[in-house]
Amino acid sequence: MSAIKKIYQHIEPNLTFISCMGVIGFPLYYYIWNYLYPQPYETLGLRLFCSIIFIPLVFRKYLNQRLMRYLPHYYLVTVGISLPFFFGYMLLMNNWSTIWVMSLLASIFLHILVVYETKIMLSQATISFIFAYIAAYYVNGHQVTSVVEWSYAPIILFVYIYGSIFYVKGKNVHETKISIAKSFGAGIAHEMRNPLSAIKSSVEIIQSLLHTKHPTDSVPHYTIEQHDYQMVNELLDNMHNTVDSANETINLLLTSIDQNRIPTSTFKIYSAGDIAQHAIQSFSYKNPLDRLAVNLTIESDFRFLGSDILLKYAFYNLLKNAFYYQNNENFHIDICITTQEKWNQITVKDNGAGIDKEHLQDIFKDFYTHGKHGGYGLGLPFCRRIMKAFAGNIECASVLGHWTEFTLLFPTESSSEMRKLKEELVSTKSLLYIGKEDDVRLRLKKQSQQMGFHIETVTLNEAVKRKEYEFEFDVIMVDLNQIERQWELLTVLESQLHFSEAQIHYLYDANSQYPIHIERHLSVYPLETNRLLDQSAPILYQLFFELAEKIEADRNVIPFKPERTEKCILIVDDNHSVRNLTAILLEKQGYHVLQASNGQEALGTIETYDVDLILMDIEMPVLDGIETTSTIRSSQKPYRHIPILGHTGDTNTPTLKRIRNSGMNDYIIKPADKNNLLDKLSNWI
C-alpha cells in the first residue's frame, strides 16, 4: 500500500468530522478575526475557497466510483492548502503577529495528526510555505510587507520534528501491539490445527475400520452390536462437527483480532437461511437443553452479499447475550427470516430481561455495557459495523422485563444499496486474461473501465514466464481458442497455477475440440465464449461474488484424467501422532510409506530409498521443511525433482509465500479431509 493511501486509510474514519469542521471553521473565523477581534489582514475569498474544497470530502461516499480512487491524493492536496499554505500565508500578511504565530503552531499540531507520515508531512509543509511566500509576495505588489522572523523558525521546526516523532512513535507502538496480537492469534491457530489434524485422522481411521468389509461378505461384518455400531458412528460424526467448529473458531479468532476493520475483499453471496441454520447448530451452548430454546422460522429465504463468518459472529453474539439475560423457565429465542419490499430482515427475539429505554440508545456504542460482568462492550458495536459493511443495519427494540428484539436489515438484490455495494467491492477485484487480442479481450477491457475492476492481459507465452506469486487474482481466464497448438505450454501454465486461489476459467467454443488433460487439483470452470460476450457484465459480477460451488462446472469439454499407482511416500513431521495416523491412512490406500521426524532424517531417507513424493511439515526442529526443500531442489541428485507437498496448519500469507518460494509443488492445510489428501497425492504421483 502506498504511503498516501495509508495516510488516507488512517484518517478516513474521522474524515467526515474533520471536513465538516473545515467547511464551517474557515468562514466562521473570518467573522471572528474581522469583526470581533479585527486583524490587520483578512481575506474572505481564500477562506471560502478552503471551505469549498472540503465539501467533496464530506460527501465522498456519494461520489462516482472512478472519482473515489483519487480521494487519497485529493485529501492530501486539500490538507496542504488549508493548513500549511493558508496559515503560512496569513502569518506573512499579518506581519508575524502573535495571534497568527499561535495559529500557525496550532495548525502544525493538526497537520501532524492528519498527515502522520513524517517525510510526506515535512515535504508538504515546505512546498506549501514556499507557495505561501510567493502568494504573499505577489499580493503585496512584488514585495513582502515584513521581514521573515527567523527567531520563530527553531520553534516551528521543533514542533514539526519532535511532534511528529513522538506521534509516530506512539502510533508505531500501537501498531506493534496490534501486530503482536495478530501474530499471537495466528500462532494459537497454528498450534490448534496440529491436534485437530490428529483428531480428524483418528476419526477417519476408526470409520474406515468400522466400514471394512470382507470381499466375500454380502454385508459388513460387525464385531460389535448393531446399536453400539450406530452409536459409535454418531459419536464420530459429532467429532467431525467438533473439528469443523474448532476450525471455524480459529477463523473467527483471526477475523475479530482487529474489530475496527471489516475485511470486505472476500465478500461473497450467501443464503441467509443456510448461515442461520449453521450458526444455531454450531453455537457453543452451555447446556444441551438450551438448543431447544432456539426456534428458527424461514418465511422466505434471501441472499446477501457479505461474509458467512462475520454473520455467524453476529448470531453468536446475539445468542450469547440473550442466554445471559434470560430470567424465566419458559425462556425462548425466536429467529425469523423474511423478505420485505425494500429490505430483507432477520429478527432475533427473546422473552428475557429486556433493556431499559434509557439504555437502549447506548447499546451500540463502543465499550458500553450494563448489568453484565466480564464483558467489554464491543460485541454489539462490532455487529453494527458488520451490518454496515453489508450495506444494511441492525436495530433493537425492547420492553423491560418482557422481551428484546434485534432486527438485522439486509438490502434486497435489486436495491440501489446492493448495487452500490457491488460497485464499491468490484473496484477491489482483479482479473487476468491469458490470450491474444480478440473480441473477448477487448470486451473485458471495456467492462474493466465501466465496472472499475483491475485487469491484466497477457499471452500464453508471457504467462508461463511469470512466477507463481504473480497469479494472485480473483479470476483468471484462459482462452483455449488462442492456444494455437501450444498445448504443452498450457501444461506448464497449469503447474504454475497450483498456488493461486483465483477462480480459473477456461474459455471455449462449443463447436471446437481441445486436446487438453487438466490436472485434478485445479478447480477449472469452463465458460462458453459466446455466452461471455453476450452477458459479460452479469457473468463477471457472478464470477466475482458467487461462491465457487454455486458456479456451474461442466467438464464435458475437458477430458478428465484420473491416475493412481502404487507409490512410495515419505511423511516428514515432528508430530508423532500426525505422522503415524497419516501413514496408516495412506497404507490402507496401498501406498508404501516411510517416515522422518525432521528434515535431516528426510535427506538421509531419500539418499537410501526411491521416494515418489514427500509430504513435508513446515515447522520442525533440526532442519525445517523450507530449508529441507531448498536443499533438495538445489542438489544435483536425481531426487531433486521429487514432488514435495507442504503440510501446514499456518494459513498466513507470509508462510504460503515461503512455501511457494522454497520450491514445493503444492501444499495441504491441516487438518485435511481424507479425500482432499488423497486427491492431492494422486495429482502428483
Side-chain angles (χ1 to χ4, degrees):
M1 184 186 298
S2 68
I4 295 177
K5 288 184 178 180
K6 190 175 180 181
I7 291 171
Y8 180 78
Q9 185 185 64
H10 170 74
I11 203 66
E12 207 280 335
N14 299 311
L15 186 54
T16 301
F17 173 76
I18 294 172
S19 301
C20 289
M21 292 300 295
V23 172
I24 299 170
F26 279 101
L28 175 63
Y29 271 84
Y30 173 79
Y31 175 80
I32 293 175
W33 297 136
N34 198 52
Y35 296 104
L36 296 182
Y37 307 103
Q39 298 299 305
Y41 176 83
E42 260 302 333
T43 168
L44 180 60
L46 181 58
R47 285 186 176 276
L48 288 177
F49 175 76
C50 291
S51 178
I52 290 170
I53 61 177
F54 274 104
I55 294 177
L57 296 176
V58 176
F59 299 100
R60 64 192 181 281
K61 294 182 179 179
Y62 302 97
L63 294 177
N64 182 280
Q65 194 64 36
R66 295 181 185 177
L67 296 177
M68 291 184 72
R69 67 181 65 179
Y70 301 109
L71 276 177
H73 297 84
Y74 180 82
Y75 165 75
L76 204 64
V77 172
T78 301
V79 169
I81 295 173
S82 60
L83 287 179
F85 172 80
F86 176 82
F87 284 90
Y89 172 77
M90 295 299 289
L91 177 69
L92 293 171
M93 298 301 292
N94 283 280
N95 300 318
W96 294 79
S97 68
T98 303
I99 286 179
W100 279 102
V101 170
M102 294 176 65
S103 298
L104 177 64
L105 292 177
S107 74
I108 292 174
F109 282 113
L110 185 58
H111 194 200
I112 293 171
L113 292 176
V114 299
V115 183
Y116 67 91
E117 288 286 345
T118 306
K119 292 181 180 179
I120 293 179
M121 179 187 61
L122 292 178
S123 300
Q124 185 184 54
T126 301
I127 295 171
S128 299
F129 286 145
I130 291 174
F131 276 101
Y133 187 90
I134 294 173
Y137 178 78
Y138 278 99
V139 168
N140 284 303
H142 302 283
Q143 63 178 359
V144 177
T145 56
S146 65
V147 178
V148 175
E149 294 287 346
W150 292 107
S151 58
Y152 288 116
I155 300 175
I156 295 172
L157 288 174
F158 177 85
V159 174
Y160 256 123
I161 295 174
Y162 285 92
S164 63
I165 288 175
F166 284 113
Y167 177 74
V168 171
K169 185 176 180 180
K171 186 175 182 301
N172 288 341
V173 170
H174 174 72
E175 290 182 346
T176 300
K177 291 180 179 178
I178 294 295
S179 178
I180 291 173
K182 290 180 178 179
S183 299
F184 180 68
I188 293 175
H190 174 68
E191 292 304 322
M192 286 180 67
R193 290 190 197 273
N194 267 329
L196 288 175
S197 180
I199 293 173
K200 199 170 188 70
S201 299
S202 301
V203 171
E204 290 172 345
I205 290 172
I206 295 173
Q207 283 184 322
S208 65
L209 291 173
L210 288 176
H211 289 288
T212 299
K213 177 181 174 183
H214 193 275
T216 60
D217 291 341
S218 58
V219 295
H221 177 69
Y222 300 103
T223 58
I224 57 177
E225 294 295 330
Q226 177 81 23
H227 177 268
D228 294 336
Y229 175 84
Q230 293 175 348
M231 182 180 295
V232 170
N233 269 317
E234 289 178 3
L235 291 172
L236 292 173
D237 290 337
N238 289 335
M239 290 175 69
H240 265 302
N241 293 334
T242 301
V243 172
D244 292 338
S245 177
N247 277 316
E248 186 174 274
T249 302
I250 291 172
N251 291 330
L252 284 172
L253 167 67
L254 298 177
T255 299
S256 59
I257 285 174
D258 186 358
Q259 293 194 340
N260 290 316
R261 297 176 182 175
I262 304 296
T264 59
S265 60
T266 58
F267 277 13
K268 296 288 184 180
I269 293 178
Y270 297 92
S271 160
D274 290 346
I275 304 303
Q277 289 176 339
H278 190 277
I280 293 171
Q281 293 296 333
S282 58
F283 180 71
S284 180
Y285 298 95
K286 290 185 176 180
N287 187 330
L289 295 178
D290 287 345
R291 169 65 185 87
L292 301 177
V294 183
N295 305 305
L296 173 63
T297 302
I298 303 179
E299 294 182 358
S300 51
D301 198 4
F302 62 86
R303 305 198 317 159
F304 70 97
L305 180 56
S307 164
D308 59 336
I309 292 177
L310 291 175
L311 184 57
K312 287 176 192 174
Y313 180 97
F315 272 119
Y316 294 159
N317 192 271
L318 296 178
L319 291 173
K320 181 179 66 176
N321 287 343
F323 279 115
Y324 185 89
Y325 290 106
Q326 62 176 308
N327 63 349
N328 59 78
E329 295 181 356
N330 296 320
F331 176 80
H332 57 84
I333 302 172
D334 296 316
I335 301 175
C336 181
I337 299 176
T338 185
T339 59
Q340 304 291 335
E341 183 178 349
K342 294 184 177 180
W343 294 93
N344 299 320
Q345 67 180 37
I346 301 175
T347 57
V348 181
K349 185 175 182 178
D350 67 77
N351 63 338
I355 304 172
D356 196 337
K357 187 175 181 180
E358 66 181 44
H359 298 296
L360 201 58
Q361 60 185 357
D362 298 321
I363 60 174
F364 294 109
K365 294 180 179 179
D366 286 332
F367 305 110
Y368 180 83
T369 182
H370 179 73
K372 186 176 182 181
H373 301 288
Y376 297 99
L378 293 173
L380 287 176
F382 189 52
C383 289
R384 169 163 282 185
R385 280 192 280 272
I386 290 172
M387 294 308 301
K388 291 289 186 181
F390 294 174
N393 202 358
I394 181 171
E395 300 173 350
C396 181
S398 182
V399 174
L400 185 63
H402 294 280
W403 55 268
T404 300
E405 181 180 73
F406 286 92
T407 303
L408 281 66
L409 299 171
F410 298 80
T412 60
E413 290 198 68
S414 59
S415 66
S416 58
E417 289 82 5
M418 178 68 85
R419 185 177 66 255
K420 183 179 179 182
L421 177 60
K422 283 185 176 180
E423 290 175 353
E424 291 177 357
L425 296 180
V426 82
S427 64
T428 67
K429 303 299 182 181
S430 58
L431 184 149
L432 174 65
Y433 172 79
I434 302 175
K436 295 183 179 180
E437 197 73 39
D438 68 342
D439 293 342
V440 176
R441 186 170 181 171
L442 295 175
R443 177 63 60 86
L444 291 174
K445 284 187 173 181
K446 183 178 179 181
Q447 288 298 333
S448 171
Q449 294 174 351
Q450 294 177 350
M451 297 169 63
F453 64 87
H454 172 70
I455 185 172
E456 290 186 25
T457 61
V458 296
T459 64
L460 181 59
N461 286 299
E462 293 170 338
V464 296
K465 295 178 182 177
R466 290 189 165 208
K467 303 295 185 182
E468 286 86 351
Y469 61 84
E470 294 180 293
F471 291 96
E472 294 304 319
F473 293 83
D474 294 290
V475 174
I476 296 177
M477 291 185 178
V478 181
D479 197 337
L480 297 181
N481 300 300
Q482 304 295 321
I483 301 296
E484 294 183 350
R485 299 184 179 181
Q486 295 179 303
W487 303 110
E488 70 283 353
L489 289 183
L490 183 61
T491 303
V492 176
L493 177 65
E494 289 177 352
S495 68
Q496 293 173 300
L497 296 177
H498 296 155
F499 294 102
S500 177
E501 297 182 0
Q503 282 187 22
I504 303 170
H505 295 264
Y506 278 9
L507 305 182
Y508 70 96
D509 185 343
N511 298 319
S512 300
Q513 293 182 349
Y514 307 96
I516 59 175
H517 297 274
I518 185 172
E519 295 187 21
R520 289 184 61 193
H521 71 283
L522 282 179
S523 298
V524 172
Y525 302 89
L527 180 59
E528 212 276 318
T529 302
N530 290 331
R531 180 168 170 262
L532 177 62
L533 291 173
D534 293 340
Q535 308 173 46
S536 54
I539 288 176
L540 287 170
Y541 275 120
Q542 180 188 37
L543 301 187
F544 285 140
F545 298 118
E546 289 284 357
L547 292 171
E549 55 265 29
K550 299 293 184 181
I551 299 175
E552 185 178 355
D554 182 6
R555 291 193 170 200
N556 290 335
V557 295
I558 302 177
F560 188 70
K561 185 184 178 182
E563 182 180 354
R564 177 166 291 178
T565 58
E566 184 175 353
K567 300 289 184 177
C568 177
I569 298 175
L570 171 61
I571 301 174
V572 188
D573 200 311
D574 63 320
N575 188 300
H576 182 269
S577 298
V578 172
R579 196 170 65 245
N580 278 351
L581 293 170
T582 305
I584 295 172
L585 276 177
L586 296 182
E587 286 170 349
K588 288 179 67 67
Q589 300 299 318
Y591 291 109
H592 176 59
V593 180
L594 301 172
Q595 298 185 35
S597 61
N598 58 62
Q600 195 64 49
E601 289 184 15
L603 293 175
T605 301
I606 60 177
E607 285 281 359
T608 307
Y609 298 94
D610 290 330
V611 175
D612 297 293
L613 182 140
I614 301 175
L615 188 61
M616 183 83 71
D617 188 23
I618 305 303
E619 300 293 338
M620 294 181 292
V622 184
L623 196 64
D624 65 26
I626 300 297
E627 295 173 334
T628 306
T629 302
S630 298
T631 301
I632 293 172
R633 294 295 185 236
S634 61
S635 71
Q636 298 302 315
K637 303 292 182 67
Y639 56 67
R640 68 181 182 276
H641 299 301
I642 294 176
I644 302 176
L645 307 187
H647 199 204
T648 179
D650 188 354
T651 58
N652 281 333
T653 300
T655 299
L656 298 183
K657 284 185 177 180
R658 290 174 62 213
I659 291 175
R660 296 186 189 103
N661 296 334
S662 69
M664 291 187 183
N665 300 86
D666 206 342
Y667 66 91
I668 301 172
I669 299 298
K670 299 178 183 178
D673 290 326
K674 179 178 70 174
N675 290 334
N676 182 33
L677 174 62
L678 296 178
D679 284 345
K680 286 275 189 178
L681 297 178
S682 66
N683 290 329
W684 292 100
I685 58 176

